[in-house]
Amino acid sequence: MPGTKTLTIIKPGAVSHEYIGPILKIINDHGFHISAMRLLRLTRKQVENFYAVHNEKPFYNGLVEFMSSGPVVVAILEKKNAVIEYRRLIGHTDPSKAEPGTIRKMFAESVERNAVHGSDSDENAEFECDFFFSRSERFSLFDPLHF
Ligand code: IDP
Ligand code: MG
Protein backbone atom coordinates (compact mmCIF):
# COMPACT_ATOMS: atom_id res chain seq x y z
CA MET A 1 0.00 0.00 0.00
CA PRO A 2 1.43 3.43 -0.91
CA GLY A 3 2.35 5.65 2.02
CA THR A 4 0.48 8.72 3.20
CA LYS A 5 3.28 11.16 3.96
CA THR A 6 6.12 13.01 2.25
CA LEU A 7 8.71 15.56 3.32
CA THR A 8 8.97 18.92 1.63
CA ILE A 9 11.52 21.70 1.99
CA ILE A 10 10.82 25.20 0.70
CA LYS A 11 14.36 26.05 -0.35
CA PRO A 12 16.30 29.26 0.50
CA GLY A 13 15.65 30.96 -2.88
CA ALA A 14 11.89 30.57 -2.57
CA VAL A 15 11.90 31.67 1.08
CA SER A 16 13.93 34.81 0.26
CA HIS A 17 11.46 35.71 -2.50
CA GLU A 18 8.55 35.51 0.00
CA TYR A 19 7.07 32.45 -1.70
CA ILE A 20 6.35 30.53 1.55
CA GLY A 21 2.70 31.64 1.62
CA PRO A 22 1.96 31.11 -2.09
CA ILE A 23 3.58 27.64 -2.06
CA LEU A 24 1.77 26.52 1.11
CA LYS A 25 -1.53 27.69 -0.41
CA ILE A 26 -0.96 25.53 -3.50
CA ILE A 27 -0.05 22.58 -1.26
CA ASN A 28 -3.29 23.00 0.73
CA ASP A 29 -5.36 23.61 -2.41
CA HIS A 30 -4.18 20.23 -3.71
CA GLY A 31 -5.50 18.43 -0.67
CA PHE A 32 -2.33 17.95 1.35
CA HIS A 33 -2.55 18.21 5.13
CA ILE A 34 0.44 19.85 6.85
CA SER A 35 1.14 17.59 9.84
CA ALA A 36 4.47 19.15 10.92
CA MET A 37 6.28 22.36 9.97
CA ARG A 38 9.29 24.48 10.98
CA LEU A 39 11.29 27.48 9.68
CA LEU A 40 15.02 26.96 10.24
CA ARG A 41 18.46 27.43 8.74
CA LEU A 42 20.23 24.17 7.96
CA THR A 43 23.89 23.74 8.83
CA ARG A 44 26.28 22.50 6.13
CA LYS A 45 26.56 19.24 8.09
CA GLN A 46 22.77 18.76 8.09
CA VAL A 47 22.58 19.35 4.33
CA GLU A 48 25.51 16.97 3.72
CA ASN A 49 23.71 14.26 5.69
CA PHE A 50 20.31 14.94 4.13
CA TYR A 51 21.72 14.79 0.57
CA ALA A 52 24.34 12.09 1.28
CA VAL A 53 23.06 9.98 -1.67
CA HIS A 54 24.27 12.74 -4.00
CA ASN A 55 27.78 13.15 -2.55
CA GLU A 56 29.49 11.92 -5.72
CA LYS A 57 27.50 14.20 -8.02
CA PRO A 58 29.13 17.23 -9.67
CA PHE A 59 26.42 19.51 -8.26
CA TYR A 60 26.81 18.31 -4.63
CA ASN A 61 29.06 21.11 -3.30
CA GLY A 62 26.93 23.81 -4.87
CA LEU A 63 23.81 22.17 -3.50
CA VAL A 64 25.23 22.07 0.05
CA GLU A 65 26.26 25.72 -0.24
CA PHE A 66 22.84 26.78 -1.54
CA MET A 67 20.73 24.75 0.90
CA SER A 68 22.65 26.15 3.90
CA SER A 69 22.64 29.75 2.58
CA GLY A 70 19.47 30.92 4.33
CA PRO A 71 16.30 29.84 6.09
CA VAL A 72 14.11 27.03 4.76
CA VAL A 73 10.69 25.65 5.67
CA VAL A 74 10.56 21.92 6.36
CA ALA A 75 7.17 20.22 6.52
CA ILE A 76 5.53 16.82 6.53
CA LEU A 77 2.62 16.62 4.07
CA GLU A 78 -0.10 13.99 4.30
CA LYS A 79 -2.35 12.69 1.55
CA LYS A 80 -3.19 9.31 0.02
CA ASN A 81 -0.22 8.28 -2.16
CA ALA A 82 1.62 11.37 -0.89
CA VAL A 83 5.06 10.81 -2.43
CA ILE A 84 3.81 10.35 -5.99
CA GLU A 85 1.09 12.99 -5.72
CA TYR A 86 3.54 15.58 -4.40
CA ARG A 87 6.22 14.77 -6.98
CA ARG A 88 3.54 15.37 -9.61
CA LEU A 89 2.62 18.72 -8.03
CA ILE A 90 6.23 19.97 -7.82
CA GLY A 91 7.20 18.93 -11.36
CA HIS A 92 10.52 18.08 -12.98
CA THR A 93 13.82 18.79 -11.17
CA ASP A 94 14.73 21.13 -14.05
CA PRO A 95 12.08 23.89 -14.15
CA SER A 96 12.52 24.33 -17.91
CA LYS A 97 11.14 20.77 -18.25
CA ALA A 98 8.40 21.15 -15.60
CA GLU A 99 4.72 21.10 -16.61
CA PRO A 100 2.68 24.33 -16.40
CA GLY A 101 0.93 24.61 -13.05
CA THR A 102 3.67 22.79 -11.14
CA ILE A 103 5.37 24.49 -8.19
CA ARG A 104 8.80 24.35 -9.82
CA LYS A 105 7.46 25.80 -13.07
CA MET A 106 5.98 28.71 -11.12
CA PHE A 107 8.66 29.40 -8.50
CA ALA A 108 12.03 27.84 -9.48
CA GLU A 109 14.93 30.03 -10.59
CA SER A 110 17.15 27.21 -12.00
CA VAL A 111 17.73 23.46 -11.76
CA GLU A 112 19.64 24.02 -8.50
CA ARG A 113 17.43 26.77 -7.06
CA ASN A 114 14.28 24.84 -7.85
CA ALA A 115 12.03 26.14 -5.06
CA VAL A 116 11.11 22.91 -3.27
CA HIS A 117 12.21 19.43 -2.29
CA GLY A 118 9.92 16.40 -2.30
CA SER A 119 10.75 12.85 -1.12
CA ASP A 120 11.22 10.38 -3.99
CA SER A 121 10.04 7.15 -2.28
CA ASP A 122 8.11 6.05 0.81
CA GLU A 123 11.34 4.70 2.29
CA ASN A 124 13.13 8.02 1.81
CA ALA A 125 10.06 9.89 3.11
CA GLU A 126 10.36 7.94 6.41
CA PHE A 127 14.06 8.80 6.68
CA GLU A 128 13.50 12.45 5.80
CA CYS A 129 10.54 12.96 8.18
CA ASP A 130 12.57 11.35 10.99
CA PHE A 131 15.52 13.59 10.07
CA PHE A 132 13.56 16.70 11.08
CA PHE A 133 10.64 15.80 13.33
CA SER A 134 10.11 13.87 16.55
CA ARG A 135 6.81 12.09 17.22
CA SER A 136 5.58 14.89 19.51
CA GLU A 137 6.02 17.45 16.71
CA ARG A 138 3.68 15.59 14.33
CA PHE A 139 -0.07 16.11 14.12
CA SER A 140 -1.21 13.41 11.77
CA LEU A 141 -4.64 13.39 10.18
CA PHE A 142 -4.67 9.68 10.90
CA ASP A 143 -4.08 10.14 14.63
CA PRO A 144 -7.42 10.26 16.49
CA LEU A 145 -5.70 12.19 19.29
CA HIS A 146 -5.50 15.27 17.08
CA PHE A 147 -8.35 15.19 14.55
P1 IDP B 1 14.85 16.11 -7.03
O1 IDP B 1 14.95 17.25 -6.04
O2 IDP B 1 13.91 16.42 -8.17
O3 IDP B 1 14.54 14.78 -6.39
P2 IDP B 1 17.60 15.20 -7.26
O4 IDP B 1 18.16 14.52 -8.47
O5 IDP B 1 17.32 14.36 -6.07
O6 IDP B 1 16.28 15.99 -7.73
O7 IDP B 1 18.61 16.37 -6.87
C1 IDP B 1 18.53 16.99 -5.61
C2 IDP B 1 18.65 18.49 -5.80
O8 IDP B 1 19.97 18.78 -6.32
C3 IDP B 1 17.72 19.10 -6.85
O9 IDP B 1 16.43 19.38 -6.34
C4 IDP B 1 18.46 20.38 -7.23
O10 IDP B 1 18.33 21.39 -6.23
C5 IDP B 1 19.90 19.88 -7.22
N1 IDP B 1 20.32 19.42 -8.56
C6 IDP B 1 19.96 18.27 -9.19
N2 IDP B 1 20.52 18.17 -10.41
C7 IDP B 1 21.27 19.29 -10.56
C8 IDP B 1 22.11 19.79 -11.61
O11 IDP B 1 22.27 19.16 -12.68
N3 IDP B 1 22.72 20.99 -11.41
C9 IDP B 1 22.57 21.70 -10.24
N4 IDP B 1 21.79 21.26 -9.22
C10 IDP B 1 21.16 20.09 -9.37
MG1 MG C 1 15.65 13.74 -4.99
Side-chain angles (χ1 to χ4, degrees), residues 43-117:
T43 64
R44 287 186 65 94
K45 200 89 233 139
Q46 279 176 304
V47 179
E48 284 167 8
N49 291 336
F50 186 83
Y51 280 122
V53 292
H54 291 308
N55 65 10
E56 308 278 285
K57 304 270 173 65
F59 59 79
Y60 180 71
N61 286 338
L63 180 62
V64 171
E65 195 65 42
F66 166 54
M67 289 298 291
S68 59
S69 68
V72 298
V73 172
V74 294
I76 300 177
L77 308 180
E78 287 187 331
K79 188 180 182 174
K80 217 172 102 195
N81 209 3
V83 165
I84 287 169
E85 290 291 310
Y86 191 59
R87 293 291 300 199
R88 184 175 301 146
L89 179 60
I90 69 180
H92 197 283
T93 307
D94 178 349
S96 71
K97 298 180 184 151
E99 295 287 324
T102 61
I103 292 175
R104 282 170 167 170
K105 187 69 174 183
M106 288 186 269
F107 301 106
E109 301 156 77
S110 67
V111 63
E112 179 181 73
R113 303 172 69 89
N114 61 0
V116 288
H117 167 83

